[in-house]
């Protein structure tokens, strides 16, 4: 049974940093892409970043490029999202999701993902 668990969210001031973690379990191998998505109240879910199974390919939304970094440690079955220079507009619930056997890239559309975590709240406010 596949399970994804996010952690690391919280309340920070603008300009500060957070690191989100997504721990995956139930996979027989690490052949799965991971995507990070976020959803703010009253807004649609949007893609933030994703990483391929071998970390050979990554994607960042324009709004987070040069501020966020995605990485994975397959030995720990964990994907990280390092978020620096946080802005109030980054406030949202952040979700990680998995998609198996997607090859050397990662999907950027939330409907392409199979399993989802429960989400972790990120609030950026002074």
């Amino acid at each position: 049974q596949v399970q994804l668990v996010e952690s690391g969210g919280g309340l920070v001031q603008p300009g500060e940093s957070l690191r989100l973690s997504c721990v995956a379990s139930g996979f027989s191998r690490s052949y799965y892409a991971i995507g990070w998505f976020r959803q703010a109240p009253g807004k649609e879910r949007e893609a933030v970043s994703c990483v391929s199974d071998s970390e050979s390919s990554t994607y960042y939304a324009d709004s987070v490029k040069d501020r966020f970094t995605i990485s994975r440690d397959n030995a720990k079955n964990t994907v990280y999202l390092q978020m620096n220079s946080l802005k109030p507009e980054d406030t949202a619930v952040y979700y990680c999701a998995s998609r198996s056997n997607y090859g050397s890239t990662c999907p950027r559309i939330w409907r392409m993902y199979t399993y989802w975590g429960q989400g972790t709240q990120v609030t950026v406010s002074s």
Side-chain angles (χ1 to χ4, degrees):
Q1 180 179 354
V2 173
Q3 188 175 16
L4 302 174
V5 179
E6 304 99 332
S7 63
L11 171 63
V12 296
Q13 295 187 347
E16 294 186 338
S17 299
L18 281 174
R19 188 177 77 160
L20 305 184
S21 298
C22 173
V23 179
S25 60
F27 291 98
S28 57
R29 295 183 178 182
S30 299
Y31 297 146
Y32 54 90
I34 291 288
W36 282 100
F37 294 80
R38 66 187 182 187
Q39 188 164 20
K43 294 188 176 181
E44 294 187 355
R45 191 178 327 185
E46 64 171 340
V48 176
S49 180
C50 68
V51 60
S52 62
D53 56 12
S54 63
E55 210 170 1
S56 61
S57 176
T58 58
Y59 160 80
Y60 297 96
D62 287 342
S63 58
V64 306
K65 205 169 291 184
D66 299 325
R67 297 188 299 123
F68 290 11
T69 303
I70 193 169
S71 62
R72 66 188 297 159
D73 183 343
N74 286 338
K76 296 182 178 180
N77 297 321
T78 302
V79 173
Y80 304 99
L81 185 68
Q82 178 67 43
M83 307 188 296
N84 298 329
S85 302
L86 283 162
K87 304 176 180 180
E89 50 263 43
D90 294 319
T91 295
V93 177
Y94 284 70
Y95 301 90
C96 66
S98 69
R99 169 63 189 263
S100 295
N101 301 316
Y102 202 75
S104 60
T105 61
C106 55
R108 303 176 184 184
I109 303 173
W110 67 267
R111 292 180 180 84
M112 300 294 290
Y113 286 83
T114 309
Y115 297 101
W116 291 79
Q118 82 288 350
T120 185
Q121 176 71 47
V122 171
T123 304
V124 185
S125 175
S126 56

